[in-house]
Amino acid sequence: MFALVLIAVVAGALAQRLAGLGFGLLVSPVLVVLLGPFDGVMIINLCGAASSLLILSRVWRHVDWRRYAGLALSALLGVVPGAWLASNVPEAPLEICIGVLLVIALLASQRLTRSSWRATGPVPMVGLGFTSGLMNAAAGVGGPAITAYAVATRWDQKSFGATLQPYFVTTGLSSLLSKYLFSGGHLPALETWQWLGILMAMVVGIAAGDVLSGRIRPGVVRGIVVGVAYAGALSTMAKGVVELAFG
């Protein structure tokens, strides 16, 4: 079972390096099914922040710090209610909610991709930043809402992918801290060697992304991430429904 966790972490870190996002989308369904929605998402928050921190040194000069500040402040407003939901909603309904949120976010971002509408002003930034923070804390998947913002505002991919890294560091660590406090100090029950294995898997994924960067178009990676995320969201919903019906 833990081997599947490591494979998912490698794939998520690889996607994060190539496309700027994708860690939560790829890893969330796997860890939620294998480790449960609360522990799984806590690990995703920590690993997502760590992988983004490792990538940040490579893309620092392309970060739009002004947009980062606006999005991060908006996301922090959504982290607290998201962390409360993750800490207080029973496991089976939470799994169903995570799957539904994933599907809705993916559909919305794809819908905006095909639209010619262009968003302007602070309202889209605040609204989608808040949504991203809430989903990151509750489900470990803040990327789709921010992708929707990038598509709606026609944000340049290089700057967008770079700016996501400090953004995910901020939302990941704040989500982790909020859930730790709301749950009374609960942490995932992993052995030391398992934490080290996850760290090594992240490094391997990022290193592979460094090698492949420039050879694979980010759009191709995003397409693969979206396909895997849909499959994972449906499996997460199915697991929640089965537990609710027969548990």
Side-chain angles (χ1 to χ4, degrees):
M1 182 182 74
F2 191 67
L4 293 177
V5 172
L6 295 180
I7 292 170
V9 171
V10 170
L14 174 62
Q16 189 84 5
R17 175 65 184 92
L18 291 174
L21 76 165
F23 188 90
L25 285 174
L26 282 173
V27 179
S28 178
V30 177
L31 265 63
V32 167
V33 169
L34 294 178
L35 304 177
F38 191 81
D39 282 3
V41 174
M42 282 194 86
I43 293 172
I44 292 161
N45 291 148
L46 177 61
C47 292
S51 64
S52 290
L53 189 60
L54 291 172
I55 294 168
L56 180 57
S57 62
R58 295 160 168 80
V59 298
W60 182 273
R61 65 184 182 278
H62 301 298
V63 174
D64 184 335
W65 291 105
R66 185 170 175 272
R67 274 186 168 176
Y68 155 75
L71 288 169
L73 288 173
S74 303
L76 290 174
L77 298 175
V79 162
V80 173
W84 184 89
L85 287 172
S87 304
N88 291 278
V89 176
E91 187 166 299
L94 184 58
E95 286 174 333
I96 295 171
C97 288
I98 288 173
V100 171
L101 284 172
L102 261 173
V103 171
I104 291 172
L106 289 165
L107 287 172
S109 62
Q110 287 185 296
R111 175 80 175 180
L112 280 171
T113 302
R114 295 190 291 268
S115 171
S116 59
W117 176 70
R118 180 169 184 163
T120 57
V123 174
M125 175 181 285
V126 173
L128 290 169
F130 175 89
T131 303
S132 173
L134 188 147
M135 289 187 62
N136 190 74
V141 285
I146 292 301
T147 300
Y149 172 76
V151 171
T153 57
R154 304 298 183 262
W155 193 352
D156 172 68
Q157 170 59 35
K158 182 177 286 189
S159 173
F160 167 61
T163 306
L164 282 182
Q165 305 320 307
Y167 174 81
F168 283 141
V169 171
T170 302
T171 56
L173 293 180
S174 60
S175 296
L176 187 68
L177 177 61
S178 298
K179 281 185 285 192
Y180 178 79
L181 295 174
F182 276 124
S183 65
H186 175 82
L187 289 173
L190 294 182
E191 302 289 340
T192 301
W193 68 268
Q194 291 176 312
W195 285 113
L196 291 174
I198 289 173
L199 176 61
M200 288 303 301
M202 280 194 301
V203 172
V204 168
I206 292 170
D210 285 338
V211 172
L212 294 174
S213 181
R215 302 182 187 182
I216 301 178
R217 295 194 307 274
V220 174
V221 180
R222 282 198 299 272
I224 295 171
V225 168
V226 167
V228 173
Y230 270 121
L234 293 174
S235 66
T236 302
M237 279 191 287
K239 182 174 182 286
V241 169
V242 169
E243 289 179 353
L244 199 61
F246 303 104

